[in-house]
Amino acid sequence: MAEHADDRLLQTWITGWSTCRGLRPYDDGGSTFVVSTDPQEQTEHFLFEPSTEQFLELARETKDDARRVLTVITNRMQDLLDAADPLGMRVIDRKQSLMSADMHGQDVEDPRAPSEDFVLERSEDSPCRRVTVRIGDELAARGSVSVVGDYAVYDRIITEEQFRRRGLASYVMRALTAGVLTDDVTTGLLVATSDGRALYEFLGWQHLADVFVIRG
C-alpha cells in the first residue's frame, strides 16, 4: 500500500533520523525540534504541511535566532516561500525530498560489492544499524538505518568524492536493507538530496513531499 505524507509519518522519520544521529526530538506545541551536538548547538525545527500563518510565525521566530533553522515538509513549497519572501529569509536548501519504499519483496541477501577491493563492515547500536565500505584503510562509503515500529528510516548514505559513480551508494542501500529486514519492517523512509533522489527512484522509492530549509 502506498504511503501518504502526514504528521504521523513525519514524526516517525524524525524519531529514526534523530536516533542514528544521537539527537533527541522535542515537541514545543508548535513544532518538533532537535538541538544538534555541534559547538553552536544549532536548533532545527520541523513543520509538516503548515498553514501559511503557522509557517510565518515559526519563520519569524527563526529569523530572530541565529542558531535556529526551520525545515518544512510540504507539497506547497513555492506558496510558502513566496509568503516568507518579505522576511528576507535565507533558503539553505529547497531540493530535498521525503521518500518512502515498500519493503516487501526487497532482497534479504547481502549484495555483491562493485569490486573485490571493497570491504563491507557492519555495526549496530540498537535500534540503529550502520554499514561502512572500505578499500584498504580508506573509507569509501557509509550509511545508517534505524527501526521505528515497522518502519526503516535511512540516513546519511554518503559516498566519498573519489569513489563516486562506482555503485557504492546503491550497494550501501542494499546492504542496509538486507540487514534491517530481519525486523519485519514494511516501509522505508528517508529524506533525499537532489543528487540522491534519482538513485532512490531507481531503487523503487516514491516521492511523498518536498523539503526546504530556511534560516535568518
Side-chain angles (χ1 to χ4, degrees):
M1 182 180 295
E3 284 289 337
H4 299 282
D6 57 22
D7 191 64
R8 173 193 59 84
L9 205 66
L10 173 62
Q11 297 302 323
T12 299
W13 173 77
I14 290 174
T15 298
W17 172 85
S18 58
T19 293
C20 279
R21 295 190 178 213
L23 304 174
R24 178 181 175 185
Y26 300 88
D27 187 340
D28 63 6
S31 65
T32 301
F33 69 94
V34 297
V35 179
S36 69
T37 55
D38 61 28
Q40 290 75 35
E41 293 187 340
Q42 176 177 280
T43 303
E44 183 170 5
H45 287 249
F46 298 89
L47 285 177
F48 170 76
E49 209 63 88
S51 67
T52 301
E53 293 74 17
Q54 181 188 16
F55 166 67
L56 288 176
E57 180 181 353
L58 267 291
R60 291 187 186 99
E61 293 177 7
T62 300
K63 182 179 179 181
D64 293 336
D65 188 342
R67 296 184 301 177
R68 179 164 164 167
V69 298
L70 178 59
T71 297
V72 183
I73 295 87
T74 180
N75 281 305
R76 45 190 293 266
M77 176 173 63
Q78 193 57 55
D79 288 345
L80 295 177
L81 288 175
D82 288 346
D85 188 61
L87 298 178
M89 305 290 289
R90 182 157 62 96
V91 181
I92 300 174
D93 194 333
R94 57 179 299 166
K95 296 182 179 180
Q96 297 185 54
S97 175
L98 177 66
M99 306 185 75
S100 72
D102 185 352
M103 302 297 284
H104 293 107
Q106 298 282 345
D107 196 345
V108 299
E109 300 295 328
D110 277 336
R112 178 177 295 180
S115 164
E116 293 181 357
D117 296 328
F118 292 116
V119 177
L120 179 73
E121 301 173 352
R122 296 183 180 275
S123 63
E124 181 174 344
D125 181 14
S126 185
C128 185
R129 291 90 181 280
R130 309 179 195 276
V131 301
T132 57
V133 181
R134 298 183 182 275
I135 180 167
D137 294 329
E138 196 168 6
L139 176 65
R142 59 189 169 94
S144 63
V145 62
S146 61
V147 176
V148 183
D150 55 359
Y151 288 84
V153 181
Y154 294 74
D155 186 41
R156 285 179 170 168
I157 313 302
I158 298 173
T159 302
E160 299 301 320
E161 186 172 359
Q162 64 270 36
F163 296 106
R164 291 176 184 172
R165 297 180 179 84
R166 298 175 68 174
L168 288 178
S170 177
Y171 178 52
V172 166
M173 284 294 293
R174 289 187 166 110
L176 287 169
T177 298
V180 82
L181 283 175
T182 58
D183 286 77
D184 296 324
V185 293
T186 62
T187 306
L189 284 178
L190 58 76
V191 168
T193 64
S194 57
D195 291 337
R197 180 172 172 176
L199 165 68
Y200 302 130
E201 288 177 340
F202 173 76
L203 295 175
W205 288 68
Q206 302 294 318
H207 170 82
L208 298 178
D210 296 318
V211 181
F212 70 89
V213 186
I214 61 173
R215 72 182 312 156

